[in-house]
Structure formats: C-alpha cells, structure tokens
Coordinates of all heavy atoms in Angstrom, one line a residue:
Y1 N 5.5 -11.2 -6.5 CA 5.8 -10.1 -7.4 C 6.5 -8.9 -6.7 O 7.4 -8.3 -7.2 CB 4.5 -9.7 -8.1 CG 4.7 -8.5 -9.0 CD1 5.0 -8.6 -10.4 CD2 4.5 -7.2 -8.5 CE1 5.2 -7.5 -11.2 CE2 4.7 -6.1 -9.4 CZ 5.0 -6.2 -10.7 OH 5.2 -5.1 -11.5
S2 N 5.9 -8.5 -5.6 CA 6.5 -7.4 -4.8 C 7.9 -7.7 -4.4 O 8.8 -6.8 -4.5 CB 5.6 -7.2 -3.5 OG 4.3 -6.9 -3.9
C3 N 8.2 -8.9 -4.0 CA 9.6 -9.2 -3.6 C 10.5 -9.1 -4.8 O 11.7 -8.6 -4.6 CB 9.6 -10.6 -2.9 SG 8.7 -10.7 -1.4
L4 N 10.1 -9.7 -5.9 CA 11.0 -9.7 -7.1 C 11.2 -8.3 -7.6 O 12.3 -8.0 -8.2 CB 10.3 -10.5 -8.2 CG 10.3 -12.0 -8.0 CD1 9.4 -12.7 -9.1 CD2 11.7 -12.6 -8.1
N5 N 10.3 -7.3 -7.3 CA 10.5 -6.0 -7.8 C 10.9 -5.0 -6.7 O 10.8 -3.8 -6.9 CB 9.2 -5.5 -8.5 CG 8.9 -6.2 -9.8 OD1 9.5 -5.8 -10.8 ND2 8.2 -7.3 -9.8
N6 N 11.3 -5.5 -5.6 CA 11.8 -4.7 -4.5 C 10.8 -3.6 -4.0 O 11.1 -2.5 -3.7 CB 13.1 -4.0 -4.9 CG 14.2 -4.9 -5.2 OD1 14.5 -5.9 -4.4 ND2 14.9 -4.7 -6.3
L7 N 9.6 -4.1 -3.8 CA 8.5 -3.3 -3.4 C 8.1 -3.6 -1.9 O 8.3 -4.8 -1.5 CB 7.3 -3.4 -4.2 CG 7.5 -3.3 -5.7 CD1 6.2 -3.6 -6.5 CD2 8.0 -2.0 -6.2
K8 N 7.6 -2.7 -1.2 CA 7.2 -3.0 0.2 C 5.8 -3.7 0.1 O 4.9 -3.2 -0.5 CB 7.0 -1.7 1.0 CG 6.4 -1.9 2.3 CD 7.2 -2.7 3.3 CE 6.6 -2.9 4.6 NZ 7.3 -3.8 5.5
F9 N 5.7 -4.8 0.7 CA 4.5 -5.6 0.7 C 3.9 -5.6 2.1 O 4.6 -6.0 3.1 CB 4.7 -7.0 0.2 CG 3.5 -7.9 0.2 CD1 2.6 -7.9 -0.9 CD2 3.2 -8.7 1.3 CE1 1.4 -8.6 -0.8 CE2 2.0 -9.5 1.3 CZ 1.2 -9.5 0.2
I10 N 2.7 -5.3 2.2 CA 2.0 -5.4 3.5 C 0.8 -6.3 3.4 O -0.1 -6.2 2.5 CB 1.4 -4.0 4.0 CG1 2.6 -3.0 4.1 CG2 0.6 -4.1 5.3 CD1 2.2 -1.6 4.5
K11 N 0.7 -7.3 4.2 CA -0.3 -8.3 4.1 C -1.6 -7.8 4.8 O -1.5 -7.3 5.9 CB 0.1 -9.6 4.8 CG -1.0 -10.7 4.6 CD -0.5 -12.1 5.2 CE -1.5 -13.1 5.1 NZ -1.1 -14.5 5.6
D12 N -2.7 -7.9 4.1 CA -4.0 -7.5 4.7 C -4.9 -8.7 4.9 O -4.5 -9.8 4.6 CB -4.7 -6.4 3.9 CG -5.4 -6.9 2.6 OD1 -5.2 -8.1 2.3 OD2 -6.0 -6.1 2.0
S13 N -6.1 -8.4 5.5 CA -7.0 -9.5 5.8 C -8.2 -9.5 4.9 O -9.3 -10.1 5.3 CB -7.4 -9.4 7.3 OG -7.9 -8.1 7.6
E14 N -8.1 -8.9 3.7 CA -9.2 -8.9 2.8 C -10.5 -8.3 3.4 O -11.6 -8.9 3.2 CB -9.5 -10.4 2.3 CG -8.4 -11.0 1.5 CD -8.4 -10.5 0.0 OE1 -9.2 -11.1 -0.8 OE2 -7.7 -9.6 -0.3
E15 N -10.4 -7.2 4.1 CA -11.5 -6.5 4.6 C -11.9 -5.3 3.9 O -12.6 -4.4 4.4 CB -11.2 -6.2 6.1 CG -11.1 -7.4 7.0 CD -10.9 -7.0 8.5 OE1 -11.9 -6.5 9.1 OE2 -9.8 -7.2 9.0
G16 N -11.4 -5.2 2.7 CA -11.8 -4.0 1.8 C -10.7 -3.0 1.6 O -9.6 -3.0 2.4
V17 N -10.9 -2.1 0.7 CA -9.9 -1.1 0.3 C -9.5 -0.2 1.5 O -8.4 0.1 1.7 CB -10.3 -0.3 -0.9 CG1 -9.3 0.7 -1.3 CG2 -10.6 -1.2 -2.1
N18 N -10.6 0.3 2.2 CA -10.3 1.2 3.3 C -9.4 0.7 4.4 O -8.5 1.4 4.8 CB -11.6 1.7 3.9 CG -12.5 2.5 2.8 OD1 -12.0 3.4 2.2 ND2 -13.7 2.0 2.6
K19 N -9.6 -0.6 4.7 CA -8.8 -1.2 5.7 C -7.4 -1.4 5.2 O -6.4 -1.2 5.9 CB -9.4 -2.6 6.2 CG -10.7 -2.5 6.9 CD -10.4 -1.9 8.3 CE -11.7 -1.9 9.2 NZ -12.2 -3.2 9.5
A20 N -7.3 -1.7 3.9 CA -5.9 -1.9 3.3 C -5.2 -0.5 3.3 O -4.0 -0.5 3.6 CB -6.1 -2.4 1.9
V21 N -5.9 0.5 3.0 CA -5.2 1.9 3.0 C -4.8 2.3 4.4 O -3.7 2.8 4.6 CB -6.1 2.9 2.4 CG1 -5.6 4.3 2.6 CG2 -6.4 2.6 0.9
I22 N -5.6 1.9 5.4 CA -5.2 2.2 6.8 C -3.8 1.5 7.2 O -3.0 2.1 7.8 CB -6.3 1.8 7.8 CG1 -7.5 2.7 7.7 CG2 -5.8 1.8 9.2 CD1 -8.7 2.3 8.5
L23 N -3.7 0.3 6.7 CA -2.4 -0.4 7.0 C -1.3 0.3 6.3 O -0.2 0.5 7.0 CB -2.5 -1.9 6.4 CG -3.5 -2.8 7.1 CD1 -3.5 -4.1 6.4 CD2 -3.1 -3.0 8.6
A24 N -1.5 0.8 5.1 CA -0.4 1.5 4.4 C -0.1 2.9 5.1 O 1.0 3.3 5.3 CB -0.8 1.8 3.0
D25 N -1.2 3.5 5.6 CA -1.1 4.8 6.3 C -0.2 4.6 7.6 O 0.7 5.5 7.9 CB -2.4 5.4 6.7 CG -3.2 5.8 5.5 OD1 -2.7 6.0 4.4 OD2 -4.5 6.1 5.6
N26 N -0.5 3.6 8.3 CA 0.2 3.3 9.5 C 1.7 3.1 9.2 O 2.6 3.6 10.0 CB -0.4 2.1 10.3 CG -1.7 2.4 10.8 OD1 -2.1 3.5 11.0 ND2 -2.5 1.3 11.1
Y27 N 2.0 2.4 8.2 CA 3.4 2.1 7.8 C 4.0 3.5 7.4 O 5.2 3.8 7.8 CB 3.4 1.2 6.6 CG 4.8 1.1 6.0 CD1 5.8 0.2 6.6 CD2 5.2 1.8 4.9 CE1 7.0 0.1 6.0 CE2 6.5 1.8 4.4 CZ 7.4 0.9 4.9 OH 8.7 0.8 4.4
C28 N 3.3 4.3 6.7 CA 3.9 5.6 6.3 C 4.2 6.5 7.5 O 5.3 7.1 7.6 CB 2.9 6.3 5.4 SG 2.8 5.6 3.7
I29 N 3.3 6.5 8.5 CA 3.5 7.3 9.7 C 4.6 6.8 10.5 O 5.5 7.6 11.0 CB 2.2 7.4 10.5 CG1 1.1 8.1 9.7 CG2 2.4 8.0 11.9 CD1 -0.3 7.9 10.2
D30 N 4.7 5.5 10.7 CA 5.8 4.9 11.4 C 7.2 5.1 10.8 O 8.2 5.2 11.5 CB 5.6 3.4 11.6 CG 4.4 3.0 12.5 OD1 4.0 3.9 13.2 OD2 4.0 1.9 12.5
N31 N 7.2 5.3 9.5 CA 8.4 5.5 8.7 C 8.7 6.9 8.3 O 9.5 7.2 7.4 CB 8.5 4.5 7.6 CG 8.7 3.1 8.0 OD1 9.8 2.6 8.2 ND2 7.6 2.4 8.2
R32 N 7.9 7.8 8.9 CA 8.1 9.3 8.6 C 8.0 9.6 7.1 O 8.7 10.4 6.6 CB 9.4 9.7 9.2 CG 9.5 9.6 10.7 CD 10.8 10.1 11.2 NE 10.9 10.0 12.7 CZ 11.9 10.4 13.5 NH1 12.9 11.1 12.9 NH2 11.8 10.2 14.8
I33 N 7.0 9.0 6.5 CA 6.7 9.4 5.1 C 5.7 10.5 5.2 O 4.6 10.4 5.8 CB 6.2 8.1 4.3 CG1 7.3 7.1 4.2 CG2 5.6 8.5 3.0 CD1 6.9 5.8 3.6
N34 N 5.9 11.6 4.5 CA 5.1 12.8 4.6 C 3.8 12.7 3.9 O 2.8 13.4 4.4 CB 5.9 14.0 4.1 CG 7.3 14.1 4.7 OD1 8.3 13.6 4.1 ND2 7.4 14.7 5.8
A35 N 3.7 12.0 2.9 CA 2.4 11.9 2.1 C 2.3 10.6 1.4 O 3.4 9.9 1.2 CB 2.4 13.1 1.1
N36 N 1.1 10.3 1.0 CA 1.0 9.1 0.1 C 0.0 9.4 -1.0 O -0.9 10.3 -0.9 CB 0.7 7.8 0.8 CG -0.6 7.7 1.6 OD1 -1.5 8.4 1.2 ND2 -0.6 6.9 2.6
I37 N 0.1 8.6 -2.0 CA -0.9 8.7 -3.2 C -1.4 7.3 -3.5 O -0.6 6.4 -3.8 CB -0.2 9.3 -4.4 CG1 -1.1 9.4 -5.6 CG2 1.1 8.7 -4.7 CD1 -0.6 10.3 -6.7
V38 N -2.7 7.1 -3.3 CA -3.3 5.9 -3.5 C -3.7 5.7 -5.0 O -4.4 6.5 -5.5 CB -4.6 5.7 -2.6 CG1 -5.2 4.3 -2.8 CG2 -4.3 5.9 -1.1
I39 N -3.1 4.7 -5.6 CA -3.3 4.4 -7.0 C -3.8 3.0 -7.2 O -3.2 2.1 -6.9 CB -1.9 4.6 -7.7 CG1 -1.3 5.9 -7.4 CG2 -2.0 4.3 -9.2 CD1 0.1 6.1 -8.0
P40 N -5.0 2.9 -7.7 CA -5.6 1.6 -8.1 C -4.7 1.0 -9.2 O -4.1 1.7 -9.9 CB -7.0 1.9 -8.6 CG -7.3 3.3 -8.1 CD -6.0 4.0 -8.0
H41 N -4.7 -0.3 -9.2 CA -3.8 -1.0 -10.2 C -4.5 -1.1 -11.5 O -3.8 -1.6 -12.5 CB -3.5 -2.5 -9.7 CG -4.6 -3.4 -9.9 ND1 -5.8 -3.5 -9.1 CD2 -4.8 -4.4 -10.9 CE1 -6.6 -4.4 -9.6 NE2 -6.0 -5.0 -10.6
D42 N -5.7 -0.6 -11.7 CA -6.4 -0.8 -13.0 C -6.7 0.5 -13.7 O -7.7 0.7 -14.3 CB -7.8 -1.5 -12.7 CG -8.7 -0.8 -11.8 OD1 -8.2 0.3 -11.2 OD2 -9.8 -1.2 -11.6
L43 N -5.7 1.4 -13.7 CA -5.7 2.7 -14.4 C -4.7 2.5 -15.6 O -3.6 2.9 -15.5 CB -5.4 3.9 -13.6 CG -6.2 4.1 -12.3 CD1 -5.7 5.4 -11.6 CD2 -7.7 4.3 -12.7
P44 N -5.1 1.9 -16.7 CA -4.2 1.6 -17.7 C -3.5 2.7 -18.4 O -2.4 2.5 -19.1 CB -5.0 0.8 -18.7 CG -6.4 1.2 -18.5 CD -6.5 1.5 -17.0
F45 N -4.0 3.9 -18.3 CA -3.4 5.1 -19.0 C -2.6 6.0 -18.1 O -2.2 7.1 -18.4 CB -4.5 5.9 -19.7 CG -5.2 5.1 -20.8 CD1 -6.6 4.9 -20.7 CD2 -4.5 4.4 -21.8 CE1 -7.3 4.1 -21.6 CE2 -5.2 3.7 -22.7 CZ -6.6 3.5 -22.6

C-alpha cells in the first residue's frame, strides 16, 4: 500500500509502537526533518 501511494515505508520488527517511532525518528534526523507528528491509523475523524 505504501509503495502504491508513494509513501516512505520503514520495516520494523514488531517490538511495539515505541520502537517503531524510534525508527521513524532516526529516519527524520538523518534526512534533516525538523519535526514529526505521530498519528495512529485509527482516528476516523
């Protein structure tokens, strides 16, 4: 789905949300992204 929609996909090891966010944080820092906003996928409104 990520590839079809031109999104950045990072593979994690299913160790929980906090570990997943760390992977995203590292990517942001390496790519000079100034801030991030963590959004769960289950906020329908």
Side-chain angles (χ1 to χ4, degrees):
Y1 174 90
S2 302
C3 293
L4 287 172
N5 288 276
N6 298 313
L7 311 175
K8 174 63 182 178
F9 179 84
I10 299 176
K11 184 177 181 179
D12 76 353
S13 54
E14 293 279 279
E15 294 184 69
V17 180
N18 297 306
K19 292 288 183 68
V21 171
I22 288 172
L23 292 175
D25 291 346
N26 292 339
Y27 172 84
C28 290
I29 293 164
D30 290 345
N31 288 274
R32 299 185 179 182
I33 294 172
N34 308 96
N36 67 26
I37 178 169
V38 182
I39 303 176
H41 79 284
D42 59 355
L43 302 181
F45 301 120

